Each structure stands twice: as C-alpha cells, then as structure tokens.
Amino acid sequence: MTLLPVFVALVVCWVALRGFLAYPLLSGPVKAVALCCAPGAALAWLAVMTADDAFLFPETAPCPAEPLREGVIGDGAVRGVSTPFPPRAYCLWEDGTVYSLAPTAEALFWGCFAVTAVSLALGLWHALRAPRALLRPAVTADPLRRKAAEGQSNWPTR
C-alpha cells in the first residue's frame, strides 16, 4: 500500500515538470536555473548529512571529544547529530550546548528547495489550467496542418 502514494507523487511531479517546461512566459535561462536547483538541493542535503561524520580522519573530527580549552564550547562528552528532514547537522554536548556544523549548506538546501517547489507548483498550475499545452505539437495540430508541416517539426510524425 505504500507504493501507491509514491507512484501518485511521481506522476504529479512528472506532470508538474512537463507543465513547467511548457510554460510560455518563462525564458530558457530561467527554466535552466530552476532545473539545476534540484540537483543543487540534493548535493547540499548530502553535505549536511555528512557534516558530522569523521570516518576519514578521526583526529580532525568536526565534533572534538576534548575541547581545546575547558569551557570554550561545551563540557562533557560530545556526539554528532544529523537529521534527514529538515536537514541539520550539529554537535551536542552533555551540558546541552549545540554547535551547528553546516549552516551554509543548510541555507543552500532551503534556497534550492524553495526554487524547486515554486517551479513545480507553477508547472502544476499551468498543467491544470491548460492541459493541451502538454501534448506534442503533432498530436494537437489538425491533420491538414500536420500534413503541411511534415519535415519542419522536431517531433516524430505518425
């Protein structure tokens, strides 16, 4: 039963993406920036999720087990914490002190997430407002115009 919501979400996102790409009032560079924000958000999320990992160089861990000076950041044992959504990585000491590890990556994620969400909402709005705009030009044209336009279109004809 969990596959049905996932499938519905994928179909809605596909229709929204098609609607966004078919939206006539946006120029190509605006669409390119919006499409590049989705991988940007994924990379920023990955940077936040791995910010507290010290598997490669344990001696240079982002959450030091012993502070450089007593009482500078926090006292007691420390552990790195990262939450998947909302993406956040921080060091948490026993006394409750919290030190954020990747604030720039978090801000980049939220900026790219907002641009992607607005783009998909705009595309879904366009798809619901003008559903025939999502069809290929060869399908929407009447047969006489299609016959005259053969060879001039990039779309395959029947």
Side-chain angles (χ1 to χ4, degrees), residues 41-53:
L43 289 175
W45 181 85
L46 188 65
V48 172
M49 290 296 101
T50 59
D52 66 333
D53 294 341

Side-chain angles (χ1 to χ4, degrees), residues 2-152:
T2 59
L3 287 179
L4 183 63
V6 171
F7 179 72
V8 169
L10 287 175
V11 168
V12 168
C13 285
W14 182 256
V15 169
L17 181 63
R18 294 276 312 247
F20 176 72
L21 292 176
Y23 194 71
L25 299 178
L26 294 176
S27 63
V30 171
K31 292 177 184 179
V33 167
L35 289 176
C36 290
C37 278
L43 289 175
W45 181 85
L46 188 65
V48 172
M49 290 296 101
T50 59
D52 66 333
D53 294 341
F55 61 90
L56 191 57
F57 301 107
E59 64 274 359
T60 61
C63 299
E66 298 174 4
L68 299 176
R69 288 182 290 161
E70 190 67 32
V72 172
I73 296 177
D75 292 328
V78 64
R79 63 187 177 99
V81 180
S82 57
T83 57
F85 196 84
R88 186 165 180 234
Y90 55 93
C91 297
L92 180 64
W93 275 265
E94 279 182 347
D95 65 352
T97 305
V98 174
Y99 178 71
S100 184
L101 291 176
T104 306
E106 288 177 35
L108 181 66
F109 170 81
W110 285 114
C112 290
F113 182 79
V115 169
T116 303
V118 168
S119 302
L120 289 178
L122 181 67
L124 192 59
W125 176 72
H126 179 64
L128 292 175
R129 197 187 87 219
R132 292 192 62 97
L134 303 181
L135 299 175
R136 296 184 301 171
V139 174
T140 58
D142 59 304
L144 295 176
R145 288 188 185 165
R146 189 179 333 144
K147 188 95 171 159
E150 278 185 3
Q152 298 175 6

